[in-house]
């Protein structure tokens, strides 16, 4: 299992990796850290909704105060030891909820069918997305025959033409759009629009002058 620790005060930025982890076919438990700071700021994270949207168990922790850490670790151990016949609602499996735009999903389905049908079903989606992105390491690992590679390349180019962007950027943009929507339904900021202390510091120390 994967225990994915995310910063609750920077949830949107942190969830990009999470969307990739949930596609790996490995049970994921998310620990939202710095919840003491989130609450101190008067902000609210709907943990149940976040869990539902991501398709995996989510727990609150504070590394500074030492709260929730053992619970998070125990949840990860439990997720790793669950058998596949355990009901999905208990998060025995992490099933990615995110779907990409139509042309991308069409290409991913073709890729899975063409070259990944012999692979365990839960791993196929992650590999298909990596092939769509033309990930060099994954392509080298799979050693796909040239004829099939040409067929796949046609599917990828068709999606690129339809969406008017390169494959890697399409995947990146789709992830951020999904995360923004997810945050909208899960994260309520008390001071929406106001800069956090971290943002105020960044405006000085990362200023181009």
């Amino acid at each position: 299992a994967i225990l994915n620790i995310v910063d609750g005060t920077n949830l949107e930025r942190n969830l990009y990796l999470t969307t990739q982890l949930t596609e790996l076919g490995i049970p994921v438990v998310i620990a939202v850290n710095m919840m003491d700071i989130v609450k101190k700021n008067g902000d609210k994270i709907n943990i149940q909704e976040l869990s539902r949207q991501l398709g995996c168990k989510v727990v609150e922790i504070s590394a500074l105060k030492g709260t929730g850490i053992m619970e998070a670790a125990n949840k990860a151990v439990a997720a790793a030891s669950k058998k596949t016949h355990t009901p999905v609602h208990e998060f025995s499996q992490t099933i990615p909820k995110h779907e990409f735009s139509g042309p991308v999903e069409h290409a991913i389905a073709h890729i899975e069918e063409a070259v990944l049908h012999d692979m365990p079903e839960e791993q196929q989606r992650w590999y298909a997305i990596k092939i769509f992105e033309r990930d060099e390491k994954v392509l080298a690992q799979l050693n796909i025959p040239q004829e099939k590679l040409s067929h796949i390349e046609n599917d990828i180019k068709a999606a690129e033409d339809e969406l008017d962007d390169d494959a890697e950027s399409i995947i990146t943009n789709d992830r951020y759009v999904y995360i923004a929507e997810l945050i909208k339904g899960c994260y309520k900021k008390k001071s929406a629009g106001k800069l956090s202390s971290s943002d105020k510091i960044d405006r000085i120390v990362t200023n181009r002058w």
Side-chain angles (χ1 to χ4, degrees), residues 29 68 124 130 160 184:
V29 173
Q124 289 181 16
K130 284 289 165 194
E160 288 178 324
K184 216 183 281 182

Side-chain angles (χ1 to χ4, degrees), residues 134-151:
R134 301 188 182 94
D135 186 289
E136 289 178 10
K137 287 183 180 177
V138 168
L139 289 170
Q141 180 191 337
L142 294 174
N143 197 19
I144 301 163
Q146 189 55 49
E147 186 186 337
K148 286 187 176 179
L149 212 52
S150 302
H151 176 67

